[in-house]
Amino acid sequence: MNKLQIYQQLTDYWNNTMPFNQLLGLEITKFDPQQSEVHFAWQDKLIGNPVQKILQGGVTATALDLVGGVVAAANIIEQHENLTIESVQQHLAKLSTIDMRTDFLRPGRGEHFIATAKIIRGGSKVAVARMELHNEKGEHIAFGTGTYMVG
Amino acid sequence: MNKLQIYQQLTDYWNNTMPFNQLLGLEITKFDPQQSEVHFAWQDKLIGNPVQKILQGGVTATALDLVGGVVAAANIIEQHENLTIESVQQHLAKLSTIDMRTDFLRPGRGEHFIATAKIIRGGSKVAVARMELHNEKGEHIAFGTGTYMVG
Amino acid sequence: MNKLQIYQQLTDYWNNTMPFNQLLGLEITKFDPQQSEVHFAWQDKLIGNPVQKILQGGVTATALDLVGGVVAAANIIEQHENLTIESVQQHLAKLSTIDMRTDFLRPGRGEHFIATAKIIRGGSKVAVARMELHNEKGEHIAFGTGTYMVG
Amino acid sequence: MNKLQIYQQLTDYWNNTMPFNQLLGLEITKFDPQQSEVHFAWQDKLIGNPVQKILQGGVTATALDLVGGVVAAANIIEQHENLTIESVQQHLAKLSTIDMRTDFLRPGRGEHFIATAKIIRGGSKVAVARMELHNEKGEHIAFGTGTYMVG
């Protein structure tokens, strides 16, 4: 398989088999080592504070953690050649979040949200990603910084 | 109202009106300025990775953020006297998370989870809390550090 | 005094009276609410690990914390009018760092280092800044995120 | 060499050869996998703000990063047997800080300061430590959380 095929298969697999992401309506829309993306729509069940009608901070953290994990996964794959489904699974088996910081910049209001992630420190064992959450108007809702185990 | 009554009313109100916390099954069990607590049970919908059957990191972050917010709220109330429902609502209106760090220590496995929080820096404008997540066996799953706007 | 004069006076005052910054050779070169800057030159006394001859991580953290404080200070001043030396001092009296995260991206090697900072969340009580450290070749050495008490 | 000898030799070596730590007067007083310690005395050159006469936040960050690195190093050594000076050097060659969060709890006032560190997440590739800074009166000045590359 070439890498575009692998990214497409992983996107489908992750979108269809991760219960918590499905519960929140998170959808990976770009699985790419340069910049990955996750989209989700407003739903009333994502409300934290019923008075203010804004996203619970945990929704923001979940979307940022997911998109950071996607870009970290894409960078693991980018480092290897001659990949098969089995070797991809093996390479991704150790992927996990070590720590993450979320900075909440504005109340989480909007109809549609876009989380993006880029790698700021690569490596064969640990990768660090920076993530952002914007709404459909381009308002910047949150920043994230995540350190991921990748090997 | 005395403060115990206020804490009890806030517990009931928050547990019954916060959609995202209800979706995840998070329940505030202790609303206290010294140490607050949130409990939740394992549910398959909280799974992040279907192969490993562990909590999505966002579930952990949500529980830690909630319990940190509870202990911050209790500390806001602790600073005031002669409280009414209206004045409590007013005092809590500015409560929000500024930033949070989550440290994932172990895979999120268990049947039941307990999140606890204590204040490490108090103040009239900003409070900082430290949070922990354990499972029913006492295994330590995650640490959190959250900075909250409180006034 | 107009704001440019205030920024210039604060630059001179901070550069000439802060013992630890002088010890490290840190020099504020831009005191500006949009983007502030701090420069410093390599000195052998800034070495952490004598084998690798790289900056101690604490030097990096110090430069990032300083430049974040400068941009936070400039934003405090930006919010007020008809300023005098006395009112500026009063407005800056509460400036302090609440928390800071440093991400070390590359070994701290170089002849000259430039730390820059921008505000990502403003406000009358708390401001959050993002900082970066580069060397003279433009190599990106570290990221920082700092939460500052500003009022 | 047994491990106590190694810890003693590393303590002497690090205390005597790390320029930046010497500049600040930081002294490793306990090199131990359970809890490590660094002490330092007040010196006027460590002042950040000349008006308030408190430690520059970078001094705090430096002490916390150092003591976290010491406990991480002791844990690397703890994992190996039959050690020689050469193999110790080799095992420690990859030790570096990936990221660190510092929480400033109180102004850094005191005559003498004690930084302590414990491991909260061990491993052969990455370790996470929690650090604290107190003064000679036991006042808690800062918390730190550091993620270290250890292999």
Side-chain angles (χ1 to χ4, degrees), chain B residues 64-131:
Chain B
L64 295 177
D65 186 24
L66 173 61
V67 75
V70 171
V71 81
N75 276 272
I76 295 173
I77 292 163
E78 200 65 9
Q79 295 173 16
H80 297 95
E81 297 300 329
N82 303 319
L83 290 162
T84 62
I85 288 286
E86 290 71 29
S87 67
V88 166
Q89 286 177 335
Q90 205 178 351
H91 290 310
L92 295 186
K94 289 182 182 169
L95 178 62
S96 65
T97 313
I98 300 170
D99 67 64
M100 187 172 85
R101 175 178 170 122
T102 308
D103 290 280
F104 299 94
L105 308 181
R106 277 182 195 75
R109 291 199 185 89
E111 294 176 17
H112 197 81
F113 302 92
I114 306 102
T116 54
K118 293 184 177 183
I119 292 292
I120 58 171
R121 171 182 170 145
S124 59
K125 289 175 235 161
V126 172
V128 182
R130 284 223 152 176
M131 298 83 84

Side-chain angles (χ1 to χ4, degrees), chain B residues 99 121 125-126 147 149 151, chain C residues 99 121 125-126 147 149 151:
Chain B
D99 67 64
R121 171 182 170 145
K125 289 175 235 161
V126 172
T147 301
M149 183 80 75
Chain C
D99 67 63
R121 171 183 170 144
K125 291 175 236 163
V126 171
T147 300
M149 183 80 78

Side-chain angles (χ1 to χ4, degrees), chain A residues 94 96-99 101 121 125-126 128 147 149 151, chain D residues 94 96-99 101 121 125-126 128 147 149 151:
Chain A
K94 289 181 182 168
S96 66
T97 313
I98 300 170
D99 67 62
R101 174 177 171 123
R121 172 182 170 145
K125 291 176 235 162
V126 172
V128 182
T147 301
M149 182 80 77
Chain D
K94 289 182 183 169
S96 65
T97 313
I98 300 170
D99 66 65
R101 175 178 170 121
R121 172 183 170 144
K125 289 175 237 162
V126 172
V128 182
T147 301
M149 182 79 77

Side-chain angles (χ1 to χ4, degrees), chain C residues 69-113:
Chain C
V70 170
V71 82
N75 275 272
I76 295 172
I77 292 163
E78 199 65 8
Q79 295 173 14
H80 296 94
E81 296 300 328
N82 303 320
L83 290 161
T84 61
I85 288 286
E86 290 71 29
S87 67
V88 166
Q89 285 177 335
Q90 204 178 350
H91 290 311
L92 296 186
K94 288 182 183 169
L95 178 63
S96 65
T97 313
I98 300 169
D99 67 63
M100 186 171 86
R101 175 179 170 120
T102 308
D103 291 280
F104 298 95
L105 308 182
R106 278 183 193 75
R109 291 199 184 89
E111 294 177 17
H112 197 81
F113 302 93

